Every structure is written in C-alpha cells, then in structure tokens.
Amino acid sequence: MSNKPKIAVIGAGKWGQALHFALSFKQETYITSRTPRDIKNFTDLNTALNCEYLIIAIPAQQIKQWLKENFVFKNQKVLVASKGIEANTGEFLNEIYAEHVPEKNIGFISGPSFAAEVIQGLPCALVLNSTSKKLYQEFKPFFPDFIKTYYSADVIGAEVAGAYKNVLAIASGICEGLHLGKNAQASLISRGLVEMQRFGKNFGAKKSSFIGLSGAGDLFLTASSNMSRNYRVGLGLAQNKSLEEILEELGEVAEGVKTSEAIYKLSKEYNIYTPIANEVKLVLDGKNPKDSLKDLLNS
Ligand SMILES: NC(=O)c1ccc[n+]([C@@H]2O[C@H](COP(=O)([O-])OP(=O)(O)OC[C@H]3O[C@@H](n4cnc5c(N)ncnc54)[C@H](O)[C@@H]3O)[C@@H](O)[C@H]2O)c1
Ligand SMILES: O=P(O)(O)OC[C@H](O)CO
C-alpha cells in the first residue's frame, strides 16, 4: 500500500486550521502554510501538493497570485474554502481556478461555519458545490460525523452567496453599531438576501441556493453575530474608527471589505441594482454611515 498522504489543507489561518482539525477525525490530514506552524502533521507545500485531495483556505484576494506562483496541477481534487470575489478583476474564484484546475476536479465549500465553533467539534452543515457529483462523493467521507454535508451543482450560487454575505455582515454590524434597532436589522438582512439573489441571478445562480444553507444560512449567521470578522468591521465603522485601525485590531481577513469593491464594479458593469452593497463600499471609502442610512431609506 502506498504511504502517499491523501489529503492536505493549504492555508493555516482560522478556517484552514478548523478544517484540518475536522478532517483529522477520519484520516491523517496534512496542513501547510507560508510560515511553519506548530500543528500536528504540518508539512511543506511540495508534500501538500503531492496529495490527491486538497482544501485551499487562503484569502480570496491572494488566490490569483498564489496559484500563479505556487500551484502545480497534478490531477489533485480541490475544494476551495475561501469566500470572496477578486476585487481587481471582478472575477469569481471559479473563473480564477479554471486556469489551473479542470472543472471536474474542483468544488467550493459554502454554508454557515464559524471556524471557532468547528474547531470545538460543534455540529454544523456545509454544502460542497461542484459540477461533479463524483467529486462530492469522494470528499464526503473525509468529513467527521459532526459535519453534515450536502451536495449542490450550483457553484456560482454558492460563490455569490458566500461572498455577498460578508458585505451584508458589514452593513449589519453598522446597523448594530448605530443602535438602529432589531426591526432595521431584520429589514436589512432580508433585503440583503433579495439583493444577493438578484446579483447572483445575473451570473446564472439558482434561487434555491439563496434560501438554503449557502445563502440565508450563512447570511443569518454572519450578519447577526459579533463572532463574524465582517460584522465587527461594521461595528468599528459605526464607531467612526478608520478602516486601517479596524483591520489592524482584527488581525484576520474580513473578505467583505474587498468584495464590496468587486460587487460595486460588477453591478455597474452589468447594471444590477445592489443598493446595500454599494453603500457598504461607499462607507468603507469614507462616507458617513448615517448618510448611507438616509440614502437607503430614500432610495
Ligand atoms: N474563519 C472562518 O470562520 C471562515 C469560515 C468559512 C470560510 N472562511 C473563509 O476562509 C478564507 C480564509 O479565512 P481565515 O479565517 O482562515 O482567515 P485568517 O485571516 O485567519 O487566515 C488567513 C490565512 O491565509 C494565509 N495567507 C494570506 N495571504 C497568503 C498568501 N499570499 N499565500 C498563502 N497564504 C496566505 C495567512 O498566512 C493566514 O494563515 C476566507 O476567504 C474566509 O472568508 C473563513
Ligand atoms: O468571520 P467572517 O465574517 O469571515 O465569517 C466566517 C464564515 O464565513 C461564517 O460562515
């Protein structure tokens, strides 16, 4: 029998470490990162790339460059764990990965999943999205009993939902920080859900993805808890902190910041009505959140 390691997580941030913890219940799982970490089965990138199965958990804005500089395709099956849209180009992650990995070899993880809970072994449900059901069937047995997995072929729906909810979580954090009340927050979240669905439809996403775990599930989680980094960005903005200060305090990625730029760009290009995401982008650029509130109420 070959001793070749079968599965590796690339990226040892919060989510990479949580996925590594979870997958290690069922089989030996490697993990790698730019800087060595004191984690069981930590390995170098080359060893990781030689695994048959990979989970890539590096921030969305770094993926394009990272793939160009580091990735070597050796017929691995890949699950992408990142949630975001590339801000410079407006590309979805599946478009970026398509230059390096064939469609049948790639899937995307979505659904409500704070790393801090997964790493405690608390129950959760995830969607593995791929045009290949075979790929889902191959990855499914790697997940531990406390994670229920679902299959969906709607890759773009999952991607839009996972990326968009981060922007809406910033808006919801602002709402909380400005003490606008639970009525306002519920309205914001539900109109946000309509907005992300409208945006996704333009790119071929299915409605069902937005009312399930990938859309409503992840949005309700992230936009209602200060466990979310994006939500905490919103809280900071409402307290008139500068973005630099907020991100420095956070010390982790808040994908909604850059994704709001991507949505702003794409919504202009395709003429999609995205009022909440647009206001988030403008507040991140310095607009007073109270002026954004007035504009949203009157639009
Ligand atoms: N934390 C969560 O609860 C959670 C859950 C689901 C999805 N995600 C998504 O997973 C992705 C990663 O989030 P995270 O929580 O692990 O973030 P994090 O800030 O905790 O860690 C990011 C990791 O990426 C690495 N990294 C940064 N730039 C890199 C580069 N150029 N090349 C290689 N590695 C690089 C960093 O060293 C760090 O280890 C994000 O897209 C996030 O939206 C996070
Ligand atoms: O902490 P956030 O805002 O990056 O959210 C983490 C996950 O995406 C929740 O599913």
Side-chain angles (χ1 to χ4, degrees):
M1 208 170 97
S2 155
N3 285 328
K4 187 180 157 199
K6 281 189 75 178
I7 183 157
V9 176
I10 298 179
K14 285 279 155 41
W15 191 215
Q17 289 195 45
L19 287 166
H20 172 255
F21 166 83
L23 295 168
S24 296
F25 276 74
K26 289 269 182 83
Q27 65 284 306
E28 189 163 63
T29 302
Y30 286 79
I31 183 163
T32 189
S33 178
R34 287 178 302 181
T35 43
R37 307 278 180 108
D38 185 18
I39 310 172
K40 188 173 176 245
N41 284 328
F42 190 91
T43 191
D44 57 278
L45 180 62
N46 203 30
T47 307
L49 289 176
N50 279 328
C51 289
E52 198 180 343
Y53 296 92
L54 300 177
I55 299 196
I56 304 184
I58 63 175
Q61 304 308 320
Q62 267 73 53
I63 284 172
K64 201 174 170 74
Q65 187 84 3
W66 184 86
L67 285 168
K68 249 188 223 152
E69 290 174 1
N70 301 287
F71 189 73
V72 186
F73 181 63
K74 304 177 184 193
N75 204 29
Q76 305 98 325
K77 320 282 169 54
V78 177
L79 273 187
V80 178
S82 326
K83 293 175 180 169
I85 306 173
E86 152 68 49
N88 292 329
T89 59
E91 282 170 292
F92 294 108
L93 299 185
N94 77 76
E95 297 173 300
I96 294 173
Y97 272 97
E99 292 169 27
H100 303 267
V101 183
E103 194 178 324
K104 68 177 176 46
N105 281 40
I106 197 158
F108 294 78
I109 304 177
S110 62
S113 44
F114 281 139
E117 292 189 356
V118 171
I119 207 156
Q120 294 176 61
L122 293 171
C124 92
L126 295 174
V127 189
L128 308 186
N129 307 271
S130 173
T131 54
S132 164
K133 188 154 191 190
K134 184 171 174 285
L135 185 96
Y136 165 73
Q137 283 158 343
E138 287 181 49
F139 270 103
K140 183 180 160 58
F142 295 139
F143 284 82
D145 293 344
F146 65 87
I147 298 183
K148 185 171 172 72
T149 58
Y150 290 82
Y151 169 69
S152 168
D154 187 15
V155 169
I156 187 66
E159 266 209 71
V160 167
Y164 216 113
K165 66 85 189 170
N166 287 329
V167 178
L168 297 172
I170 296 177
S172 187
I174 294 174
C175 190
E176 174 78 32
L178 292 179
H179 309 292
L180 301 181
K182 293 296 172 196
N183 293 340
Q185 200 168 28
S187 304
L188 181 81
I189 292 171
S190 54
R191 289 309 301 170
L193 183 58
V194 172
E195 184 175 311
M196 64 153 84
Q197 190 187 314
R198 184 190 306 123
F199 181 86
K201 190 177 169 200
N202 191 78
F203 300 99
K206 286 193 183 137
K207 190 175 179 177
S208 54
S209 299
F210 295 95
I211 53 176
L213 290 166
S214 307
D218 209 0
L219 174 63
F220 294 169
L221 177 83
T222 319
S224 64
S225 165
N226 62 11
M227 281 175 74
S228 157
R229 286 89 51 103
N230 290 287
Y231 189 85
R232 295 207 295 275
V233 168
L235 285 174
L237 290 168
Q239 292 158 5
N240 287 320
K241 291 185 182 173
S242 73
L243 182 58
E244 292 68 33
E245 194 184 349
I246 295 168
L247 294 179
E248 202 183 313
E249 272 177 21
L250 203 61
E252 291 173 26
V253 70
E255 294 279 19
V257 173
K258 284 286 173 191
T259 293
S260 73
E261 289 177 25
I263 293 173
Y264 193 83
K265 194 180 289 182
L266 289 167
S267 65
K268 293 267 173 295
E269 190 180 336
Y270 291 93
N271 195 24
I272 316 167
Y273 183 52
T274 55
I276 301 173
N278 287 1
E279 288 303 328
V280 170
K281 195 276 182 191
L282 296 174
V283 170
L284 287 165
D285 285 349
K287 182 172 176 177
N288 187 322
K290 290 182 181 156
D291 292 334
S292 269
L293 171 67
K294 275 189 216 142
D295 291 343
L296 279 173
L297 285 170
N298 294 312
S299 65

